Amino acid sequence: GSPAVFRLPFSAAAANGARQFSVCRLQSLPFQAAAKAGRPLYQEKIVNIEKPDPYAAPQSFETEAFVEVDIAPPLRRIGAYLLNTLFQILAMIPLIIAIASVVRQSQVLDIESPAFWELAIQQNSGLLLLGAVLLFALGIVQAALLTSRGQSLGKMICRLKVVKTDGSDAGFVGAVLLREIVFWVGIAIAGGIISALTGWQDNWLNNLAMLVCLVQLCVGNRRTIQDMLAGTVVIKLPPKY
């Protein structure tokens, strides 16, 4: 069937590699970014339609041109998430080795106990430090890419991009602070409070949020809770963009 698309004003949609599609699920977005020429138009909207006074000074008419771009397909967004998770696991390999070593040597200690981590630091401080540095470096790289390009490493590979629904770049606030930090920290705090009051498992709210986001990827305009919080939408870039 026809791909799900957003109707994007020409100025920023062209800059994101937009091309013309048949009408499917649409949302009009008043983009304001600078345009790249040579993209087909979908519709023109005359903003100033008042009849000009023949005796008044000449006035210009403000127009807005629209094109349509693909909304990111569900499988691509899931693939980008899995790739980012894979990069995190790779960065955690030194930590995994250090923890596994302590587990083998002292199977009586609980991994959440202070004694376990004291032993881990004594025996594998180098591996623990290396793992922490790799995770920190990965976080900085991901945040920098999302801020500057609207893409994580996974999204770059899957040809996806996060943009604001008003057409501007998502930037640090939209792509990192709201979509990642505020959302997941908020979920963790809310889940911890509810778990303390009810005795439920700590990660139940995190799992529920992921399930809701997964369902949202398959319906409507495919904007998840994170997108709604940050005012963003994830689009698919053309192959040569």
Side-chain angles (χ1 to χ4, degrees), residues 47-223:
V47 177
N48 182 3
I49 59 174
E50 295 181 359
K51 185 177 180 179
D53 183 350
Y55 301 102
Q59 297 181 357
S60 61
F61 288 86
E62 182 181 356
T63 63
E64 206 170 15
F66 293 87
V67 295
E68 294 173 0
V69 294
D70 280 325
I71 301 173
L75 290 180
R76 284 209 187 191
R77 289 192 66 172
I78 294 172
Y81 172 82
L82 293 177
L83 284 171
N84 286 330
T85 302
L86 175 61
F87 294 138
Q88 291 177 0
I89 293 173
L90 292 176
M92 291 175 61
I93 287 178
L95 293 175
I96 295 172
I97 294 174
I99 293 172
S101 174
V102 176
V103 169
R104 287 196 304 268
Q105 296 178 26
S106 180
Q107 298 181 3
V108 297
L109 292 178
D110 184 359
I111 192 173
E112 296 182 358
S113 68
F116 179 92
W117 289 103
E118 289 177 5
L119 183 61
I121 293 173
Q122 291 174 2
Q123 297 185 356
N124 300 289
S125 58
L127 285 174
L128 292 174
L129 179 61
L130 176 60
V133 170
L134 289 177
L135 279 175
F136 180 77
L138 177 62
I140 293 297
V141 169
Q142 295 280 49
L145 289 173
L146 284 167
T147 299
S148 61
R149 300 170 56 99
Q151 296 175 294
S152 62
L153 292 172
K155 283 184 172 61
M156 289 177 62
I157 295 172
C158 293
R159 311 296 301 164
L160 304 179
K161 182 177 181 180
V162 179
V163 295
K164 295 282 285 184
T165 54
D166 65 357
S168 59
D169 291 334
F172 175 79
V173 173
V176 179
L177 182 61
L178 294 177
R179 289 186 93 253
E180 304 297 335
I181 299 175
V182 170
F183 177 75
W184 290 114
V185 171
I187 290 292
I189 293 175
I193 293 174
I194 296 175
S195 296
L197 296 175
T198 62
W200 296 349
Q201 292 184 353
D202 292 343
N203 62 346
W204 72 271
L205 187 57
N206 179 79
N207 295 336
L208 178 61
M210 294 183 67
L211 178 61
V212 171
C213 289
L214 183 62
V215 173
Q216 289 177 310
L217 289 180
C218 303
V219 297
N221 55 21
R222 299 173 183 168
R223 295 180 66 206

